[in-house]
Amino acid sequence: MGDVTVVGAGVIGLSIAHELAVAGHRVQMVAARDATSSVSAVAAAIWFPHDVNSSAQVLDSAQVTYRRLQHLASRPGTGVRMRQGTVLMRHADTDTTWTRAVPQHEWLDSSEIPAGIVASAGASGVRCTVPVAVTDVYLRWLQAAVLALGVKTSTAEVRDLREVLDQENPDALVVAAGIRSAALLGDDDETYPIRGQVVRLANPGLTEWVTDDDNPEGLTYVVPREHDVVCGGTGDRGSWDEQVDPLVEQAILRRALALVPALAGQPVLSRAVGLRPARTSVRVEAVAGYNKPVFACYGHGGAGFTLSWGDAARIAGLIGPA
């Protein structure tokens, strides 16, 4: 195989295009909008397997991506930073298998956990260092990287994969179109959106992030970046609503300020809503029924950045060298 078309230009599609081009393929990307206008641009882009079912494959891809992003953090201009922070957990049965992929982490004792959380039975916390990406900077860097490798891009809304196979005549096609992937393939009823709303505040000088996924009032996370702080969020399963809800934003800010009081008085810089492409399990596989090899890579939930390089490597392995 030499010519490969990738449908989708978010963080998954770009990472796949990069790895295929490195392997020697001639790659064409086609998508209705580029990465800076996709759901990838809404993400807080902190390495963490959020809204994705845990499995050996997910953990392996997360480890691969952690190492790749850690390397990119040492390079100027990528927008990736290694940042220390805290994962707060309110339940004893919370899945912590992700810690195997994090070299620098330590369990907190009860004296280090906020009083409102330690009161929960089985409450705990993990302090660790993980990659965080400034999404617009990282996505622009990744776009430039694939273009430098000779990847061609085109803007079009793909409605029929067979038309792409007929018109482009690639040797293989990869579907990495996020939430639209299932509809394009037409053989998947396991995919659904998870609506995520965020508000971005001016950064008063914070560098450490914190997450409180099990907050009874709603999913809560605070992720400082260079000049802003991403505050979230929501996890509305099955919702296709992409409009910002002012009342939801107020609730997000209340929870974020309770967790990080230093945010009080900081102005709102921007706000956004994105639909996380969730699935019962991440789909990375060959798809039968076409006259050319077709591969699927989607269903990453809130872990697109976290699994991007690992799953891109999986797709490159399935397709093989040019």
Side-chain angles (χ1 to χ4, degrees), residues 39-315:
V39 67
S40 296
V42 178
I46 179 173
W47 183 99
F48 192 80
H50 180 69
D51 274 342
V52 64
N53 285 346
S54 179
S55 68
Q57 177 177 302
V58 164
L59 183 59
D60 179 66
S61 286
Q63 287 178 311
V64 170
T65 306
Y66 184 104
R67 291 193 294 267
R68 188 66 164 268
L69 292 174
Q70 185 178 40
H71 170 70
L72 291 175
S74 67
R75 297 175 54 184
T78 64
V80 182
R81 305 287 184 270
M82 299 301 294
R83 290 285 186 259
Q84 193 172 61
T86 302
V87 177
L88 297 171
M89 294 168 286
R90 294 174 182 253
H91 307 298
D93 61 351
T94 300
D95 180 19
T96 58
T97 55
W98 58 270
T99 57
R100 301 174 196 166
V102 181
Q104 302 177 49
H105 71 274
E106 60 180 349
W107 293 90
L108 305 181
D109 61 41
S110 58
S111 66
E112 300 174 282
I113 300 173
I117 294 174
V118 76
S120 304
S124 60
V126 178
R127 189 168 175 78
C128 55
T129 300
V130 302
V132 176
V134 181
T135 46
D136 56 345
V137 177
Y138 178 68
L139 292 172
R140 284 197 299 268
W141 171 84
L142 191 49
Q143 287 175 322
V146 300
L147 291 175
L149 288 168
V151 174
K152 307 299 183 184
T153 64
S154 60
T155 302
E157 184 171 347
V158 175
R159 298 182 182 276
D160 189 328
L161 296 180
R162 288 180 171 81
E163 285 186 4
V164 176
L165 289 169
D166 291 341
Q167 294 171 7
E168 302 292 336
N169 194 31
D171 296 306
L173 182 145
V174 181
V175 180
I179 196 64
R180 293 191 61 246
S181 299
L184 286 173
L185 288 164
D187 66 344
D188 179 7
D189 59 1
E190 300 178 38
T191 301
Y192 56 94
I194 299 180
R195 179 183 180 276
Q197 180 168 329
V198 299
V199 54
R200 306 181 185 103
L201 304 180
N203 191 342
L206 302 176
T207 58
E208 294 203 7
W209 51 268
V210 60
T211 66
D212 181 13
D213 286 8
D214 298 322
N215 189 318
E217 295 183 10
L219 169 67
T220 307
Y221 54 87
V222 174
V223 182
R225 303 189 298 185
E226 300 294 289
H227 304 296
D228 66 3
V229 180
V230 182
C231 300
T234 60
D236 306 322
R237 294 173 180 263
S239 174
W240 291 90
D241 183 7
E242 295 186 79
Q243 300 301 310
V244 172
D245 185 325
L247 294 179
V248 170
E249 179 175 302
Q250 291 174 19
I252 289 172
L253 288 174
R254 282 196 300 271
R255 298 196 302 273
L257 266 64
L259 200 58
V260 184
L263 291 172
Q266 295 302 311
V268 172
L269 300 182
S270 63
R271 46 181 62 88
V273 171
L275 304 180
R276 304 182 189 110
R279 194 174 182 273
T280 51
S281 63
V282 178
R283 189 179 189 186
V284 183
E285 62 183 9
V287 181
Y290 296 88
N291 62 354
K292 295 285 185 70
V294 172
F295 301 88
C297 189
Y298 66 94
H300 296 88
F305 280 87
T306 304
L307 305 179
S308 56
W309 289 109
D311 280 356
R314 288 183 185 278
I315 290 293

